[in-house]
């Protein structure tokens, strides 16, 4: 194990005390801890770790996420409205932002694939260009940091602080007094990180006689997209309930744009009297999308033809014909995602676009899902690769990993398993580029293009032979993660030599981690327990033998190496929770 170990930080400021002693009669493992101190007993070794000097700004940074903002590099290229499309709805939202009516909240709702996120992105870009976007948060189930409310309020607080630096002292002071604020209930977080700093700023404005000028200035905007992508219905409803008070306490005029599917729990939240009286609801189905979809298809087909003119089309007649174009418009049924996926599929640079169009138009298979044409399109796209087993495997990995992995990362993760498939992950991902976000380089993350495709894959009725079962893939990924860690973790994995040094003093620590720890290992260290917790017991209530064997090896042999790895990755704060999740999984399965 470690020798008088270190390189395990409780926070940005590193642990200041690390002790290891010998205990000959200690059997098993005990983990105890709070926000600043952790004690680990493992075999005959004890490590006590104490963190100090946790700054308010450091606490806020650690609790927030940069991936949820409208201009986050993680979301690039974010979907937005093609110029000349969605004019009516964009003008309507702009008028709402600028009016002084009673509706300070706008709820834009519509079906998956109807273009809500593209509209939210376009609006965010418009008001950011005018320096009137105060904050944005784009929820997404594709990333664990954007699928929960845990990082929502700290992230919004960082945005407000950047927009109005006068808020910074009060927010930082609150966190320096109690850096556990981000772990508290949402109302307490909102109170300490926003409401009270708002009151402090308002008092300052009153003293400087600037409050009247600010209150009469044009409203600023906060955009919160895809509320339905949050994985906790109760907590997202609580966020909605807190927004009116946020608007009321804000020292400058604030409007809030929210988007979501019209899910029952969200409809109920917007029907409460406190929200209903201040909310303007816009239903996308009330706006004609056919004209915009037709315009999008026409422009996109022109671009495809211009790019491939000399090699494929020559002097042939118009392509596609008006009847073919109209057939696609009708198949879209108002869903922009159908039009976008169609263009991505037809425009695949490795295939003949004329033949791709024939595939789309010739398949008339029906479905009872309400998304018949979209489902047929998705099945057409993912059936192009000849290796169906590998297609399903890779789609399952992409669908259920907590954060997107690169082609290289997926390939490395799969190497740990005994899977009887011939892998060519890169080629297959390229074949699926019409439904996946495929980067230019194999070391960059691959994601799912749209939430409707994720929903499709999760439905056996819709995906049919391409259905990817959550239970199967969480079990597979958990097993692969454990195998990767058991095979790769070792003492001083980054070759630092000095086991007493502080992480904060290590030059380019992220670079060292990337060099010495594969992407698959870094992912495994951080997320193995997330997948394990989602694996149910079998019909007889028995534990999965392979999982338990791999877990026992990790805890019995590699535990301290894993803790060191987490520390180097800056994720040690989650160690106790992950071990508690593993213990709960074992306990539930054994008792079951």
């Amino acid at each position: 194990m470690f020798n008088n170990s270190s390189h395990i930080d409780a926070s940005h400021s590193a642990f200041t005390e690390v002790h290891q002693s010998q205990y000959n009669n200690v059997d098993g493992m005990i983990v105890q801890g709070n926000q600043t101190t952790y004690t680990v007993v493992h075999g005959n070794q004890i490590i006590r770790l104490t963190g100090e000097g946790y700054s308010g700004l450091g606490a806020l940074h650690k609790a927030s996420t940069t991936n949820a903002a409208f201009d986050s590099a993680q979301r690039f290229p974010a979907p937005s409205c093609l110029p000349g499309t969605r004019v009516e709805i964009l003008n309507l939202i702009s008028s709402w932002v600028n009016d002084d009516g009673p509706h300070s909240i706008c709820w834009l709702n519509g079906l998956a694939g109807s273009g809500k996120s593209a509209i939210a992105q376009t609006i965010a870009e418009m008001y950011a260009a005018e320096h009137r976007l105060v904050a944005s948060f784009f929820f997404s189930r594709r990333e664990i940091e954007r699928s929960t409310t845990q990082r929502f309020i700290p992230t919004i607080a960082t945005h407000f602080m950047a927009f109005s630096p006068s808020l910074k002292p009060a927010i930082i002071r609150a966190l320096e007094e109690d850096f556990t604020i981000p772990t508290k209930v949402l109302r307490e977080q909102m109170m300490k990180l926003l409401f009270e700093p708002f009151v402090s700023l308002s008092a300052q404005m009153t003293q400087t006689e600037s409050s009247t000028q600010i209150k009469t200035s044009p409203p600023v905007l906060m955009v919160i997209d895809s509320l339905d992508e949050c994985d906790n219905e109760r907590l997202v409803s609580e966020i909605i309930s807190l927004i009116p008070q946020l608007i009321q306490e804000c020292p400058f005029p604030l409007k809030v744009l929210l988007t979501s599917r019209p899910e029952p729990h969200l409809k109920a939240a917007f029907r409460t009297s406190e929200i209903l009286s201040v909310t303007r609801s816009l239903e996308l189905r009330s706006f004609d999308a056919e004209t915009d979809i037709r315009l999008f298809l026409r422009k996109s087909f022109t671009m495809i033809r211009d790019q491939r003119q000399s090699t494929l089309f020559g002097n042939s007649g118009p392509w596609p014909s008006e009847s073919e174009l109209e057939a696609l418009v009708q198949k879209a049924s108002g869903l922009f995602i159908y039009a976008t996926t169609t263009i991505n599929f037809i425009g695949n640079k490795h295939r003949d676009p004329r033949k791709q169009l024939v595939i789309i138009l010739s398949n008339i298979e029906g479905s009872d899902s309400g998304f018949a044409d979209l489902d047929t399109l998705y099945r057409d796209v993912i059936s192009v690769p000849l290796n169906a087993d590998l297609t399903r495997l890779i789609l399952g990995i992409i669908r259920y990993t907590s954060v997107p992995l690169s082609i290289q990362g997926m390939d490395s993760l799969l190497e740990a398993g005994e899977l009887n498939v011939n892998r060519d992950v890169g080629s297959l991902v390229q074949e699926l580029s019409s439904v996946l976000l495929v980067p230019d380089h194999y070391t960059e993350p691959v994601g799912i293009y749209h939430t409707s495709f994720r929903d499709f894959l999760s439905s056996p009725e819709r995906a049919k032979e391409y259905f990817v079962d959550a239970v199967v893939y969480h079990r597979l990924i958990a097993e692969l993660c454990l195998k990767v860690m058991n095979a790769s973790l070792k003492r001083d994995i980054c070759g630092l030599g000095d086991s007493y040094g502080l992480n904060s003093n290590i030059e380019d620590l992220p670079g060292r981690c990337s060099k010495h720890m594969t992407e698959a290992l870094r992912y495994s260290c951080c997320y193995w327990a997330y997948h394990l917790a989602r694996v149910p017991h079998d019909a007889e209530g028995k534990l999965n033998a392979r999982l338990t064997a791999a877990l026992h090896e990790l805890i019995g042999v590699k535990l301290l190496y894993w803790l060191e790895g987490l520390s180097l990755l800056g994720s040690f704060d989650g160690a106790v929770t992950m071990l508690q999740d593993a213990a709960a999984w074992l306990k539930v399965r054994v008792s079951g």
Side-chain angles (χ1 to χ4, degrees), residues 32 50 73 82 111 113 142 174 180 184 217-218 271 277 282 324 333 347 411 466 483 489 524 558 581 583:
Q32 298 175 342
T50 304
L82 183 72
L111 297 175
R142 291 200 298 260
T180 68
K184 298 183 184 296
S217 62
R271 278 199 299 264
S277 60
L282 298 176
E324 290 172 328
S333 300
D411 201 48
Y466 291 100
K483 287 185 174 182
L489 286 173
S524 299
K558 302 283 188 173
D581 286 346

Side-chain angles (χ1 to χ4, degrees), residues 265-285:
H265 68 285
L266 293 171
K267 292 167 71 174
F270 282 104
R271 278 199 299 264
T272 60
S273 57
E274 296 84 359
I275 306 298
L276 188 62
S277 60
V278 294
T279 299
R280 178 169 188 176
S281 294
L282 298 176
E283 298 182 6
L284 270 181
R285 65 180 182 179

Side-chain angles (χ1 to χ4, degrees), residues 14-130:
F15 287 120
T16 58
E17 181 183 355
V18 181
H19 298 296
Q20 177 174 309
S21 304
Q22 299 298 319
Y23 283 79
N24 296 324
N25 298 319
V26 177
D27 187 21
M29 176 188 67
I30 302 170
V31 178
Q32 298 175 342
N34 53 35
Q35 288 292 327
T36 57
T37 303
Y38 296 89
T39 302
V40 179
V41 181
H42 182 255
N44 64 350
Q45 298 174 324
I46 282 187
I47 296 180
R48 184 159 64 88
L49 310 123
T50 304
E52 296 178 355
Y54 203 63
S55 72
L57 191 60
L60 187 63
H61 173 76
K62 195 172 186 66
S64 62
T65 176
T66 59
N67 295 342
F70 85 99
D71 56 354
S72 165
Q74 187 73 26
R75 297 182 58 247
F76 181 84
S80 60
C81 299
L82 183 72
T85 65
R86 296 301 204 184
V87 174
E88 182 182 5
I89 187 69
L90 292 174
N91 287 341
L92 200 58
I93 293 173
S94 292
S95 296
W96 160 76
V97 173
N98 292 299
D99 70 28
D100 57 357
H103 299 131
S104 52
I105 298 172
C106 180
W107 178 35
L108 177 66
N109 61 85
L111 297 175
S114 56
K116 302 181 297 298
S117 292
I119 293 170
Q121 178 71 23
T122 302
I123 289 291
E125 291 173 358
M126 288 169 53
Y127 283 89
E130 297 179 13

Side-chain angles (χ1 to χ4, degrees), residues 270-577:
F270 282 104
R271 278 199 299 264
T272 60
S273 57
E274 296 84 359
I275 306 298
L276 188 62
S277 60
V278 294
T279 299
R280 178 169 188 176
S281 294
L282 298 176
E283 298 182 6
L284 270 181
R285 65 180 182 179
S286 302
F287 297 85
D288 177 30
E290 280 196 3
T291 300
D292 289 339
I293 289 174
R294 188 178 292 105
L295 176 61
F296 169 78
L297 289 172
R298 198 180 299 279
K299 287 186 175 182
S300 299
F301 277 122
T302 298
M303 186 179 301
I304 292 172
R305 178 159 183 154
D306 288 347
Q307 292 172 345
R308 311 286 288 275
Q309 181 74 39
S310 59
T311 57
L312 289 175
F313 293 99
N315 295 319
S316 61
W319 178 87
S321 67
E322 284 299 313
S323 61
E324 290 172 328
L325 182 68
E326 195 60 33
L328 292 175
V329 172
Q330 297 305 313
K331 281 177 172 287
S333 300
L335 297 179
F336 266 85
I337 188 58
Y338 182 95
T340 303
T341 304
T342 294
I343 291 300
N344 289 341
F345 180 70
I346 293 172
N348 188 316
K349 62 183 179 181
H350 301 294
R351 295 186 176 273
D352 186 334
R354 298 166 300 182
K355 294 180 179 178
Q356 298 287 85
L357 176 60
V358 170
I359 292 174
I360 298 298
L361 293 173
S362 62
N363 199 327
I364 58 173
E365 182 179 357
S367 170
D368 295 328
S369 69
F371 296 95
D373 290 314
L374 184 60
D375 291 350
T376 300
L377 174 60
Y378 281 153
R379 285 195 296 273
D380 285 342
V381 169
I382 61 181
S383 64
V384 169
L386 299 178
N387 191 334
D389 290 337
L390 180 60
T391 299
R392 190 164 44 247
L393 174 63
I394 297 304
L395 289 175
I397 297 289
I398 293 172
R399 168 66 179 84
Y400 290 110
T401 43
S402 298
V403 296
L405 292 173
S406 68
I407 292 171
Q408 184 182 62
M410 284 187 282
D411 201 48
S412 179
L413 187 66
L414 289 171
E415 282 182 4
E418 299 172 0
L419 305 172
N420 295 320
V421 293
N422 294 318
R423 295 196 318 276
D424 188 354
V425 178
S427 296
L428 186 135
V429 165
Q430 291 294 337
E431 290 271 30
L432 300 176
S433 59
S434 51
V435 289
L436 299 178
L437 291 169
V438 182
D440 293 331
H441 197 270
Y442 70 99
T443 60
E444 297 172 348
V446 177
I448 289 177
Y449 186 80
H450 193 267
T451 184
S452 63
F453 185 59
R454 186 198 64 230
D455 295 343
F456 165 83
L457 291 173
S458 304
S459 169
E461 295 79 19
R462 298 176 62 186
K464 297 183 178 179
E465 69 272 23
Y466 291 100
F467 165 61
V468 290
D469 191 322
V471 171
V472 171
Y473 282 91
H474 280 303
R475 182 171 61 237
L476 172 63
I477 298 170
E479 183 179 344
L480 292 174
C481 287
L482 290 168
K483 287 185 174 182
V484 166
M485 290 188 292
N486 288 331
S488 303
L489 286 173
K490 61 181 181 180
R491 181 181 181 276
D492 192 18
I493 193 168
C494 287
L496 302 174
D498 179 10
S499 61
Y500 292 94
L502 301 177
N503 285 359
S504 55
N505 294 334
I506 299 171
E507 184 178 354
D508 189 22
L509 181 56
R512 281 180 171 267
C513 289
S514 296
K515 179 180 178 181
H516 294 280
M517 302 174 71
T518 66
E519 181 185 0
L521 179 58
R522 299 194 301 271
Y523 179 88
S524 299
C525 286
C526 295
Y527 296 108
W528 65 268
Y530 167 83
H531 296 289
L532 184 70
R534 285 156 177 77
V535 180
H537 57 283
D538 64 18
E540 298 178 356
K542 294 181 179 179
L543 295 160
N544 180 281
R546 289 199 301 248
L547 274 180
T548 52
L551 180 58
H552 280 302
E553 182 178 353
L554 176 70
I555 301 303
V557 180
K558 302 283 188 173
L559 177 67
L560 297 184
Y561 301 155
W562 168 65
L563 290 173
E564 182 184 28
L566 270 188
S567 170
L568 294 169
L569 294 170
S571 299
F572 188 83
D573 286 356
V576 173
T577 300

Side-chain angles (χ1 to χ4, degrees), residues 126-140:
M126 288 169 53
Y127 283 89
E130 297 179 13
H131 305 289
R132 292 173 61 191
L133 183 72
V134 67
S136 62
F137 197 101
F138 284 68
F139 282 101
S140 173

